[in-house]
Amino acid sequence: MSVLISLSIVLRFYLTGNRGAVAVEYAFLAAFIAIVAAAGMVLVGPELQQFFTDTGSAVFNAGSGNFTNDPFPS
């Protein structure tokens, strides 16, 4: 008799539990975040690429020895 009762309790727990619904909600949330992130990358990507290109050029040219504002002229 106690086996039947414990089986009934376990069965009731799995039938009334909503863990699957929560997992589906998290999956929808993750998918929505991924879509928004991808759209943001497409919209901001070219400007961000230009920013890094300009910054890289400025850093590269800073080491060229072309000092226009040299505080100690020779």
Side-chain angles (χ1 to χ4, degrees):
M1 181 77 166
S2 70
V3 173
L4 254 160
I5 292 173
S6 63
L7 185 60
S8 170
I9 291 171
V10 170
L11 188 60
R12 187 177 304 141
F13 174 75
Y14 282 113
L15 289 178
T16 60
N18 58 358
R19 287 193 290 177
V22 173
V24 170
E25 290 170 0
Y26 281 129
F28 279 130
L29 185 63
F32 177 72
I33 290 172
I35 291 170
V36 169
M41 288 179 210
V42 167
L43 294 175
V44 180
E47 289 85 8
L48 193 60
Q49 182 179 7
Q50 186 63 40
F51 170 76
F52 282 116
T53 301
D54 294 344
T55 304
S57 296
V59 169
F60 180 75
N61 292 333
S64 67
N66 183 12
F67 299 108
T68 56
N69 295 332
D70 192 2
F72 305 109
S74 48

